[in-house]
Amino acid sequence: MKGLIFSVKKYSIHDGPGIRVTFFMKGCKLSCWWCHNPEGISPDPEKVVQIDKIGEKEFQRIEEVGKLYSVDDVLEILEGERIFITQSKGGVTFSGGEPMMQHDFLLEALKSCKKAGYHTAVDTSGYAPSESFNRIIPYTDLFLFDIKHLNDEKHLMYTGVSNSLILENLHLLIDSGCDLMIRIPVIPGVNDDAGNMNDIKRFLLKNKADNLKKICLLPYHKTGSSKYKKFNIPYRMIDASQPSSARMKELKDFFSDVGVKVKTGG
């Protein structure tokens, strides 16, 4: 069994505790306007033209996005980083795209990583069958779970899907007792209004449990915008601005009332 992965990031410090290796898996059913990894949306391998510059000269090369990895390949990469992972109390994170779209491979990879002694994390939008979450819970030490918008109509507008299944799965994970880190992207003009932030805060206060370990506020940035043209995907955030550091501090203080650690950034 193999999984389609478009990037492997070593020495990752923003996808769970310690130093980690993050595997970015291809395929996502959401089409978030602000997506920083548009290369992860399609579930298929893609070929794009990459332009490299040396002085005044430009050179074109074909870049293949998406490579098949076996579970043994994943373990081999992790073994090469074990000393850093162990000393920092880190682990392995499966991100995307949406890793739950390749559920069977994800399940086998998580099982093998746990057996090999690695701390495991899954970074997810929450949009997947609840049964898929039930199957991986025993092998997942930490879920990094996105909350984008609590208004279902706006969630549908900005991501292409309803939030009802996402919230259902969030309740499932809270009830399961597994460790959770909530990630809230902060996108000016999309979801940073007082109404939505108040709704998210009330939701977290109402559903707070001991397994909610941290809230991460992720400021919108435009670093992924240059990728859209390569993949023939319309970029809909041309007029969007990045939240100011003052605004991020304000939100950090605002969510501190929930009673768990609040962090700006991953």
Side-chain angles (χ1 to χ4, degrees):
M1 181 183 296
K2 294 188 176 183
L4 189 62
I5 292 168
F6 67 88
S7 181
V8 178
K9 184 179 179 182
K10 300 177 182 178
Y11 312 112
S12 173
I13 58 171
H14 297 298
D15 298 315
I19 295 173
R20 312 184 71 80
V21 178
T22 301
F23 293 90
F24 292 86
M25 300 173 65
K26 233 174 167 319
C28 184
K29 292 186 177 180
L30 277 67
S31 54
C32 302
W33 287 24
W34 57 88
C35 180
H36 296 154
N37 294 320
E39 68 270 43
I41 296 174
S42 170
D44 302 310
E46 297 173 277
K47 290 183 178 181
V48 297
V49 176
Q50 179 69 40
I51 299 175
D52 298 319
K53 289 186 177 182
I54 301 179
E56 297 297 320
K57 293 185 178 181
E58 291 187 351
F59 300 89
Q60 289 189 357
R61 61 183 171 85
I62 302 300
E63 178 182 347
E64 189 158 354
V65 182
K67 177 183 174 183
L68 290 172
Y69 288 74
S70 67
V71 173
D72 285 343
D73 292 332
V74 169
L75 291 174
E76 183 178 349
I77 292 170
L78 290 172
E79 188 59 35
E81 308 302 316
R82 187 183 280 272
I83 186 170
F84 305 108
I85 292 171
T86 301
Q87 290 182 353
S88 68
K89 297 182 180 179
V92 57
T93 300
F94 295 93
S95 185
E98 173 50 66
M100 298 296 288
M101 277 191 67
Q102 299 184 58
H103 176 265
D104 290 339
F105 173 78
L106 177 64
L107 177 61
E108 293 308 310
L110 289 168
K111 284 181 179 179
S112 295
C113 289
K114 282 292 293 179
K115 186 176 180 180
Y118 294 105
H119 179 277
T120 57
V122 173
D123 182 5
T124 179
S125 68
Y127 193 77
S130 297
E131 178 54 32
S132 295
F133 280 100
N134 278 320
R135 291 178 69 196
I136 69 167
I137 283 172
Y139 312 102
T140 307
D141 294 308
L142 173 68
F143 283 92
L144 313 178
F145 198 102
D146 288 0
I147 299 181
K148 298 176 172 70
H149 216 301
L150 284 191
N151 180 290
D152 191 45
E153 185 177 338
K154 289 185 177 180
H155 196 282
L156 181 60
M157 177 193 304
Y158 289 117
T159 72
V161 303
S162 166
N163 65 12
S164 58
L165 177 59
I166 292 169
L167 295 178
E168 178 184 329
N169 285 325
L170 181 51
H171 282 295
L172 183 156
L173 294 179
I174 291 170
D175 292 343
S176 75
C178 59
D179 285 353
L180 272 169
M181 182 187 299
I182 298 296
R183 287 180 156 183
I184 305 170
V186 179
I187 305 104
V190 173
N191 76 338
D192 71 330
D193 58 280
N196 184 53
M197 291 298 166
N198 272 304
D199 287 345
I200 293 175
K201 182 177 178 179
R202 281 195 294 267
F203 177 90
L204 294 175
L205 284 168
K206 180 180 178 181
N207 296 282
K208 181 184 171 185
D210 290 341
N211 55 326
L212 175 57
K213 300 301 182 182
K214 188 184 294 184
I215 298 168
C216 292
L217 302 171
L218 309 178
Y220 165 74
H221 57 76
K222 293 191 175 185
T223 55
S225 60
S226 61
K227 302 177 185 178
Y228 279 74
K229 187 175 181 180
K230 287 186 192 178
F231 294 92
N232 296 313
I233 300 173
Y235 186 62
R236 293 171 284 188
M237 300 293 288
I238 294 173
D239 298 325
S241 59
Q242 297 180 196
S244 67
S245 56
R247 175 58 173 154
M248 294 305 299
K249 183 181 185 305
E250 179 184 314
L251 288 173
K252 182 179 179 180
D253 293 341
F254 175 74
F255 279 101
S256 65
D257 293 348
V258 175
V260 299
K261 183 176 180 181
V262 182
K263 180 183 176 185
T264 298

